[in-house]
Amino acid sequence: MKVLLPDTIALAPELPPGATTAVYAVAEPIPDEHTDAEVLVVWGNPPGPLADAARRLKNLRWVQTLAAGPDAVLQAGFAEDVVVTAGLGLHDHTVAEHTLALVLAAARRLNRLVRAQIGHRWAAELGGLQPVRDPHSFRTLRDATVVVWGFGGIGATLAPLLTALGAHVTGVARTAGERHGYPVVTAADLPGLLPGTDLLISILPATPETAHALNATVLGLLPPHAWVVNVGRGATLDERALLDAVRSGRLAGAALDVFETEPLPPTSPLWDEPDILITPHAAGGRPLNADALLSDNLFAFAQSRPLRNRIR
């Protein structure tokens, strides 16, 4: 069994008997001598070379992406009988940490403070004496109502961090109930939940069902002081609707790490909006314990056992 490892991350998984590895350059076509591989590990692969691999790897039986969302692999054109597994769990801590940074930056208006610093302006309105609690402004996580849409591993890691700072967290997922000690509702419950929400965090994957899930209707249900944070996938947010809501004052602001087009074009009006924070898809990018997941799945694959994080 030949396993192709990407050159974008140093991997040294334990191998089952008879397995061999070869490192390939993700930005280039896979060399002809490696098109007999049965396993392809994907991390940071551009769409073109990935689609080329889907066409040319005729013996391929399994693709392991290290990304939490498998959308790039699913869109590349691999045969339907090729197993696809995702990197669920590898990004829980890094994405949760970045999300918390965005949330605190929004609450403490670091976007406005940085602009004031660049302009050598003492932003007195954001310093000095401040109200302990302003019901018309999201300025603290203390007693804030936070909704996390997409309550999987990342949401479960993030929620206790928000709770530690005083927030009240509700998750939104496909099935309602209780997860990790937090109440979870379905998207059907959002119309009754969002009007009392201070902060909406989206960690939704990119699927046909989630395309523009954060649309004008959903954004319109939030109170004017609310903020939106998106660290899931850019395709889940209607950027024009968000921009209109922020510019008109129907929404206080947004912190975005993912976009419909990446890199975000220089001409995008999102760049110049003072109450929209932008980071360059920086929340993840560092899969933790990738070797352990890959090793487990390689042995399971060799022994015809179920694979972890199987998508199809």
Side-chain angles (χ1 to χ4, degrees):
M1 175 173 62
K2 179 183 286 187
V3 182
L4 296 184
L5 304 177
D7 66 349
T8 45
I9 182 173
L11 294 170
E14 294 184 39
L15 300 176
T20 61
T21 63
V23 176
Y24 72 98
V26 301
E28 301 174 7
I30 291 175
D32 290 339
E33 63 265 28
H34 293 319
T35 56
D36 59 342
E38 295 179 69
V39 181
L40 179 69
V41 180
V42 171
W43 179 239
N45 299 55
L50 191 59
D52 179 74
R55 289 190 297 268
R56 294 175 52 235
L57 271 60
K58 301 301 184 182
N59 294 335
L60 195 67
R61 297 169 57 200
W62 164 37
V63 177
Q64 170 72 66
T65 175
L66 301 184
D71 41 299
V73 170
L74 296 177
Q75 295 166 8
F78 289 98
E80 289 297 324
D81 60 347
V82 174
V83 173
V84 176
T85 54
L88 300 174
L90 303 183
H91 306 274
D92 292 356
H93 291 280
T94 54
V95 176
E97 182 179 51
H98 191 83
T99 306
L100 182 62
L102 292 178
V103 168
L104 292 175
R108 292 301 179 141
R109 299 295 189 269
L110 293 191
N111 53 309
R112 293 278 183 169
L113 292 171
V114 169
R115 285 173 177 256
Q117 178 181 352
I118 292 172
H120 296 193
R121 183 180 73 86
W122 185 262
E125 73 280 7
L126 296 174
L129 303 182
Q130 300 289 322
V132 174
R133 175 68 175 168
D134 182 354
H136 305 295
S137 179
F138 170 60
R139 294 297 303 275
T140 177
L141 281 171
R142 194 171 52 256
D143 292 325
T145 298
V146 180
V147 173
V148 179
W149 195 356
F151 201 76
I154 296 170
T157 302
L158 173 66
L161 304 179
L162 300 172
T163 300
L165 292 172
H168 305 288
V169 180
T170 298
V172 181
R174 292 180 179 177
T175 56
E178 183 177 299
R179 297 186 188 178
H180 311 283
Y182 291 91
V184 175
V185 302
T186 68
D189 298 304
L190 283 174
L193 186 63
L194 292 182
T197 296
D198 300 303
L199 176 67
L200 173 61
I201 300 173
S202 175
I203 319 178
L204 289 171
T207 67
E209 294 75 25
T210 62
H212 281 192
L214 281 80
N215 53 33
T217 300
V218 168
L219 298 176
L221 292 172
L222 291 164
H225 71 268
W227 275 67
V228 170
V229 174
N230 189 16
V231 292
R233 285 290 185 266
T236 65
L237 173 66
D238 184 337
E239 293 175 1
R240 172 50 61 182
L242 175 77
L243 189 64
D244 289 345
V246 172
R247 283 179 169 175
S248 66
R250 297 195 309 273
L251 193 67
L256 310 177
D257 185 57
V258 290
F259 304 88
E260 290 194 89
T261 300
E262 295 184 0
L264 185 65
T267 55
S268 171
L270 294 173
W271 287 111
D272 297 318
E273 195 60 37
D275 287 316
I276 293 181
L277 280 161
I278 291 174
T279 57
H281 205 141
R286 292 148 294 191
L288 304 179
N289 301 314
D291 276 333
L293 172 63
L294 186 53
S295 298
D296 287 350
N297 271 353
L298 284 170
F299 277 89
F301 185 74
Q303 298 164 9
S304 299
R305 292 187 285 108
L307 304 183
R308 288 171 54 188
N309 299 345
R310 180 166 178 168
I311 303 299
R312 73 171 197 195

